Amino acid sequence: DAGVTQSPTHLIKTRGQQVTLRCSPISGHKSVSWYQQVLGQGPQFIFQYYEKEERGRGNFPDRFSARQFPNYSSELNVNALLLGDSALYLCASSLFAVGPSYNEQFFGPGTRLTVL
Amino acid sequence: RKEVEQDPGPFNVPEGATVAFNCTYSNSASQSFFWYRQDCRKEPKLLMSVYSSGNEDGRFTAQLNRASQYISLLIRDSKLSDSATYLCAVNMGQAAGNKLTFGGGTRVLVKP
């Protein structure tokens, strides 16, 4: 079975531009979470979506938005890019069902965004 | 105080030795705990989940101490391939958006 897939793998943008990142979860998983990881730090939670609804939001500005589609894939949009948005953007897939074992999250390879 | 803290290391470990390191968390309502392994410029890969007092998988043992609010990871018979950054993650449950809060990672270098 395919794991979590993300596209593109790398992206270079300039300040002020907008970017859209894409993620497809593991087959059968209905929840997608987005994380930002800057060099030398652990991933930081941005959003979680389940059944097309936002279920959690991290401490990120409104320039960050996301959505989930009926096939459970997801997009993360970042507007008005800043130099500080340069990071590895990770998508995680989970079942999001009752019981702690179903909260295991599996990460995709990430999109490495560089803002110049 | 950070929600999840780890010693950044690096832990320099001779091949074949045992290494252990901890992760402390600040919120006593934390429900589930995970160890991820991350290789340079790659995504985190789930290594172990810790739901009760502990879990063992081959050479890896994770333990949870709720009273002192920390989890630990022990690696026995270290291999060169164990060199990586080990990330601790804490989940507050569905009511908190099911988000994972990560520590900054502990770097482990296994040397011949």
Side-chain angles (χ1 to χ4, degrees), chain B residues 39-71:
Chain B
D39 294 296
C40 188
R41 301 182 72 80
K42 298 287 189 179
E43 76 273 22
K45 292 189 185 298
L46 183 62
L47 182 64
M48 296 186 74
S49 305
V50 188
Y51 300 113
S52 56
S53 60
N55 192 13
E56 183 173 330
D57 183 5
R59 298 183 294 109
F60 297 83
T61 300
Q63 290 193 315
L64 168 63
N65 186 317
R66 285 194 180 271
S68 300
Q69 295 186 197
Y70 73 88
I71 61 171

Short mmCIF file of all heavy atoms in Angstrom, two decimals, chain B residues 39-71:
data_model
loop_
_atom_site.label_atom_id
_atom_site.label_comp_id
_atom_site.label_asym_id
_atom_site.label_seq_id
_atom_site.Cartn_x
_atom_site.Cartn_y
_atom_site.Cartn_z
N ASP B 39 15.77 10.86 10.05
CA ASP B 39 17.08 10.94 9.41
C ASP B 39 17.21 12.31 8.74
O ASP B 39 16.21 12.98 8.44
CB ASP B 39 17.24 9.81 8.39
CG ASP B 39 17.28 8.46 9.07
OD1 ASP B 39 18.23 8.22 9.83
OD2 ASP B 39 16.35 7.66 8.87
N CYS B 40 18.46 12.69 8.49
CA CYS B 40 18.72 14.03 7.97
C CYS B 40 17.92 14.32 6.70
O CYS B 40 17.95 13.55 5.73
CB CYS B 40 20.22 14.16 7.70
SG CYS B 40 20.73 15.83 7.28
N ARG B 41 17.16 15.42 6.75
CA ARG B 41 16.39 15.91 5.62
C ARG B 41 15.30 14.92 5.15
O ARG B 41 14.86 14.96 4.00
CB ARG B 41 17.32 16.27 4.45
CG ARG B 41 18.33 17.35 4.83
CD ARG B 41 19.19 17.73 3.65
NE ARG B 41 18.46 18.50 2.66
CZ ARG B 41 18.19 19.79 2.73
NH1 ARG B 41 18.58 20.49 3.79
NH2 ARG B 41 17.54 20.41 1.78
N LYS B 42 14.89 14.05 6.06
CA LYS B 42 13.80 13.12 5.76
C LYS B 42 12.63 13.38 6.71
O LYS B 42 12.74 14.17 7.64
CB LYS B 42 14.27 11.66 5.93
CG LYS B 42 15.40 11.26 4.99
CD LYS B 42 14.88 11.10 3.59
CE LYS B 42 15.96 10.49 2.70
NZ LYS B 42 15.47 10.28 1.30
N GLU B 43 11.52 12.68 6.47
CA GLU B 43 10.37 12.83 7.34
C GLU B 43 10.52 11.99 8.60
O GLU B 43 11.22 10.98 8.62
CB GLU B 43 9.07 12.42 6.59
CG GLU B 43 8.86 10.92 6.44
CD GLU B 43 9.54 10.36 5.20
OE1 GLU B 43 10.49 10.98 4.68
OE2 GLU B 43 9.09 9.28 4.75
N PRO B 44 9.83 12.38 9.68
CA PRO B 44 9.83 11.53 10.88
C PRO B 44 9.13 10.22 10.59
O PRO B 44 8.10 10.18 9.92
CB PRO B 44 9.03 12.36 11.90
CG PRO B 44 9.03 13.75 11.37
CD PRO B 44 9.08 13.63 9.89
N LYS B 45 9.70 9.15 11.11
CA LYS B 45 9.09 7.82 10.97
C LYS B 45 8.74 7.29 12.35
O LYS B 45 9.57 7.32 13.27
CB LYS B 45 10.05 6.85 10.27
CG LYS B 45 10.28 7.20 8.80
CD LYS B 45 11.05 6.11 8.10
CE LYS B 45 11.40 6.49 6.67
NZ LYS B 45 10.20 6.71 5.84
N LEU B 46 7.49 6.82 12.52
CA LEU B 46 7.03 6.33 13.81
C LEU B 46 7.85 5.12 14.24
O LEU B 46 7.92 4.12 13.54
CB LEU B 46 5.55 5.98 13.74
CG LEU B 46 4.91 5.51 15.03
CD1 LEU B 46 4.97 6.61 16.09
CD2 LEU B 46 3.45 5.10 14.78
N LEU B 47 8.47 5.25 15.40
CA LEU B 47 9.30 4.17 15.94
C LEU B 47 8.51 3.34 16.96
O LEU B 47 8.46 2.13 16.89
CB LEU B 47 10.54 4.78 16.59
CG LEU B 47 11.58 3.83 17.19
CD1 LEU B 47 12.20 2.98 16.10
CD2 LEU B 47 12.65 4.62 17.94
N MET B 48 7.90 4.05 17.92
CA MET B 48 7.15 3.36 18.96
C MET B 48 6.03 4.25 19.48
O MET B 48 6.19 5.46 19.55
CB MET B 48 8.06 2.99 20.13
CG MET B 48 9.16 2.02 19.80
SD MET B 48 10.08 1.50 21.25
CE MET B 48 8.89 0.41 21.99
N SER B 49 4.94 3.60 19.87
CA SER B 49 3.84 4.28 20.54
C SER B 49 3.84 3.82 22.00
O SER B 49 4.10 2.65 22.28
CB SER B 49 2.50 3.93 19.89
OG SER B 49 2.53 4.22 18.51
N VAL B 50 3.55 4.73 22.90
CA VAL B 50 3.57 4.40 24.33
C VAL B 50 2.23 4.80 24.93
O VAL B 50 1.91 5.98 25.02
CB VAL B 50 4.70 5.13 25.07
CG1 VAL B 50 4.82 4.62 26.50
CG2 VAL B 50 6.02 4.97 24.33
N TYR B 51 1.41 3.82 25.31
CA TYR B 51 0.08 4.13 25.83
C TYR B 51 -0.06 3.82 27.31
O TYR B 51 -0.83 4.45 28.01
CB TYR B 51 -0.99 3.37 25.05
CG TYR B 51 -1.00 3.71 23.58
CD1 TYR B 51 -0.64 2.78 22.63
CD2 TYR B 51 -1.34 4.99 23.16
CE1 TYR B 51 -0.63 3.11 21.29
CE2 TYR B 51 -1.33 5.32 21.83
CZ TYR B 51 -0.98 4.37 20.89
OH TYR B 51 -0.97 4.69 19.58
N SER B 52 0.69 2.87 27.79
CA SER B 52 0.58 2.55 29.21
C SER B 52 1.95 2.79 29.82
O SER B 52 2.58 3.79 29.55
CB SER B 52 0.09 1.12 29.40
OG SER B 52 0.95 0.22 28.72
N SER B 53 2.43 1.90 30.62
CA SER B 53 3.69 2.16 31.31
C SER B 53 4.90 2.01 30.41
O SER B 53 5.96 2.55 30.70
CB SER B 53 3.83 1.23 32.51
OG SER B 53 3.81 -0.12 32.07
N GLY B 54 4.75 1.24 29.33
CA GLY B 54 5.91 1.06 28.48
C GLY B 54 5.63 0.15 27.31
O GLY B 54 4.53 -0.39 27.16
N ASN B 55 6.63 0.02 26.47
CA ASN B 55 6.51 -0.77 25.27
C ASN B 55 7.90 -1.21 24.85
O ASN B 55 8.87 -0.46 25.03
CB ASN B 55 5.85 0.08 24.16
CG ASN B 55 5.42 -0.73 22.98
OD1 ASN B 55 5.39 -1.95 23.05
ND2 ASN B 55 5.08 -0.07 21.90
N GLU B 56 8.00 -2.42 24.32
CA GLU B 56 9.30 -2.92 23.86
C GLU B 56 9.16 -3.48 22.47
O GLU B 56 8.17 -4.16 22.15
CB GLU B 56 9.80 -4.02 24.82
CG GLU B 56 11.19 -4.55 24.48
CD GLU B 56 11.73 -5.50 25.53
OE1 GLU B 56 11.38 -5.35 26.71
OE2 GLU B 56 12.49 -6.41 25.14
N ASP B 57 10.14 -3.18 21.63
CA ASP B 57 10.14 -3.68 20.26
C ASP B 57 11.57 -3.98 19.88
O ASP B 57 12.32 -3.07 19.52
CB ASP B 57 9.52 -2.64 19.32
CG ASP B 57 9.42 -3.15 17.89
OD1 ASP B 57 9.74 -4.34 17.64
OD2 ASP B 57 9.00 -2.37 17.01
N GLY B 58 11.93 -5.24 20.00
CA GLY B 58 13.30 -5.63 19.67
C GLY B 58 14.31 -4.95 20.58
O GLY B 58 14.25 -5.07 21.80
N ARG B 59 15.21 -4.21 20.00
CA ARG B 59 16.27 -3.54 20.78
C ARG B 59 15.80 -2.23 21.42
O ARG B 59 16.57 -1.60 22.14
CB ARG B 59 17.46 -3.25 19.85
CG ARG B 59 18.10 -4.50 19.26
CD ARG B 59 19.33 -4.16 18.41
NE ARG B 59 18.98 -3.41 17.21
CZ ARG B 59 19.26 -2.12 17.04
NH1 ARG B 59 19.88 -1.42 17.99
NH2 ARG B 59 18.92 -1.51 15.92
N PHE B 60 14.60 -1.84 21.14
CA PHE B 60 14.08 -0.55 21.61
C PHE B 60 13.05 -0.75 22.72
O PHE B 60 12.15 -1.58 22.59
CB PHE B 60 13.43 0.21 20.45
CG PHE B 60 14.39 0.57 19.35
CD1 PHE B 60 14.70 -0.34 18.36
CD2 PHE B 60 14.98 1.82 19.32
CE1 PHE B 60 15.59 -0.01 17.35
CE2 PHE B 60 15.87 2.16 18.31
CZ PHE B 60 16.17 1.24 17.33
N THR B 61 13.22 0.02 23.79
CA THR B 61 12.28 -0.01 24.91
C THR B 61 11.90 1.42 25.26
O THR B 61 12.77 2.26 25.46
CB THR B 61 12.89 -0.68 26.15
OG1 THR B 61 13.25 -2.02 25.83
CG2 THR B 61 11.89 -0.69 27.30
N ALA B 62 10.60 1.67 25.31
CA ALA B 62 10.10 2.97 25.73
C ALA B 62 9.36 2.80 27.04
O ALA B 62 8.64 1.83 27.24
CB ALA B 62 9.18 3.55 24.67
N GLN B 63 9.55 3.76 27.95
CA GLN B 63 8.84 3.72 29.23
C GLN B 63 8.20 5.05 29.49
O GLN B 63 8.71 6.11 29.10
CB GLN B 63 9.81 3.35 30.34
CG GLN B 63 10.28 1.90 30.28
CD GLN B 63 10.97 1.45 31.53
OE1 GLN B 63 11.80 2.17 32.06
NE2 GLN B 63 10.63 0.26 32.01
N LEU B 64 7.07 5.00 30.17
CA LEU B 64 6.31 6.20 30.52
C LEU B 64 6.24 6.32 32.03
O LEU B 64 5.87 5.35 32.71
CB LEU B 64 4.90 6.11 29.94
CG LEU B 64 3.87 7.12 30.43
CD1 LEU B 64 4.27 8.54 30.06
CD2 LEU B 64 2.49 6.78 29.87
N ASN B 65 6.58 7.47 32.55
CA ASN B 65 6.44 7.76 33.97
C ASN B 65 5.52 8.96 34.11
O ASN B 65 5.91 10.11 33.97
CB ASN B 65 7.82 8.06 34.57
CG ASN B 65 7.76 8.23 36.09
OD1 ASN B 65 6.86 8.88 36.61
ND2 ASN B 65 8.71 7.65 36.78
N ARG B 66 4.23 8.64 34.37
CA ARG B 66 3.23 9.71 34.44
C ARG B 66 3.43 10.59 35.69
O ARG B 66 3.16 11.78 35.65
CB ARG B 66 1.82 9.13 34.44
CG ARG B 66 1.37 8.64 33.06
CD ARG B 66 -0.12 8.40 33.03
NE ARG B 66 -0.58 7.92 31.74
CZ ARG B 66 -0.97 8.73 30.76
NH1 ARG B 66 -0.91 10.05 30.92
NH2 ARG B 66 -1.39 8.23 29.62
N ALA B 67 3.89 9.98 36.75
CA ALA B 67 4.07 10.76 37.98
C ALA B 67 5.10 11.85 37.80
O ALA B 67 4.92 12.99 38.26
CB ALA B 67 4.48 9.82 39.12
N SER B 68 6.19 11.53 37.11
CA SER B 68 7.25 12.51 36.88
C SER B 68 7.16 13.16 35.52
O SER B 68 7.98 14.00 35.17
CB SER B 68 8.62 11.85 37.05
OG SER B 68 8.77 11.31 38.34
N GLN B 69 6.17 12.75 34.74
CA GLN B 69 5.88 13.36 33.43
C GLN B 69 7.08 13.30 32.49
O GLN B 69 7.56 14.33 31.98
CB GLN B 69 5.35 14.80 33.59
CG GLN B 69 4.00 14.82 34.29
CD GLN B 69 3.36 16.19 34.36
OE1 GLN B 69 2.44 16.41 35.14
NE2 GLN B 69 3.79 17.13 33.56
N TYR B 70 7.53 12.07 32.26
CA TYR B 70 8.55 11.91 31.24
C TYR B 70 8.39 10.54 30.59
O TYR B 70 7.81 9.62 31.14
CB TYR B 70 9.97 12.08 31.80
CG TYR B 70 10.48 10.95 32.65
CD1 TYR B 70 11.12 9.85 32.07
CD2 TYR B 70 10.35 10.98 34.04
CE1 TYR B 70 11.60 8.81 32.84
CE2 TYR B 70 10.83 9.95 34.83
CZ TYR B 70 11.45 8.87 34.23
OH TYR B 70 11.92 7.84 35.00
N ILE B 71 8.90 10.45 29.36
CA ILE B 71 9.04 9.16 28.71
C ILE B 71 10.50 8.98 28.35
O ILE B 71 11.24 9.95 28.19
CB ILE B 71 8.14 9.01 27.46
CG1 ILE B 71 8.48 10.05 26.39
CG2 ILE B 71 6.68 9.10 27.83
CD1 ILE B 71 7.78 9.81 25.07
#
